[in-house]
Amino acid sequence: TFWGMAASFVLDGTLGEKAFLRPQFSGEMFVMFAKVQPLLKQLRDRTNNPDFMANIEQLILNSKEARERLRDASKRITTRRKVA
């Protein structure tokens, strides 16, 4: 995916983390990952791809700012699901 490739650029130093984590650039990635994260193990097992979304996961888990944004995105998604 685009986000996985972009995350790999950050992880190898090609793209600066600060620039990548700007909400204007990566906001969609956090929403997407927040939706998928609860199912990540199942998705990896079913697709026989243990590295599915691994770059995104690593990037988010390695950054306090990114973990906070993921937590906020997860809360918004949970709230929307309850309302719907």
Side-chain angles (χ1 to χ4, degrees), residues 1-22 25-27 29-30 32-33 37 40 44 51-70:
T1 68
F2 168 78
W3 293 113
M5 181 179 62
S8 72
F9 290 157
V10 175
L11 293 172
D12 75 7
T14 302
L15 178 62
E17 182 177 303
K18 184 176 179 180
F20 181 76
L21 292 178
R22 286 190 182 128
F25 182 76
S26 61
M29 178 187 73
F30 284 92
M32 176 192 66
F33 191 74
Q37 187 182 24
L40 197 51
R44 288 175 174 164
D51 296 324
F52 180 71
M53 298 188 89
N55 288 334
I56 296 170
E57 180 180 42
Q58 182 181 352
L59 176 65
I60 290 173
L61 296 180
N62 286 346
S63 165
K64 180 181 177 187
E65 176 188 349
R67 289 191 308 268
E68 290 171 359
R69 287 187 56 202
L70 177 62

Side-chain angles (χ1 to χ4, degrees), residues 39-51:
L39 307 169
L40 197 51
K41 182 180 179 343
Q42 289 175 325
L43 288 168
R44 288 175 174 164
D45 290 344
R46 288 185 181 183
T47 60
N48 197 28
N49 182 358
D51 296 324

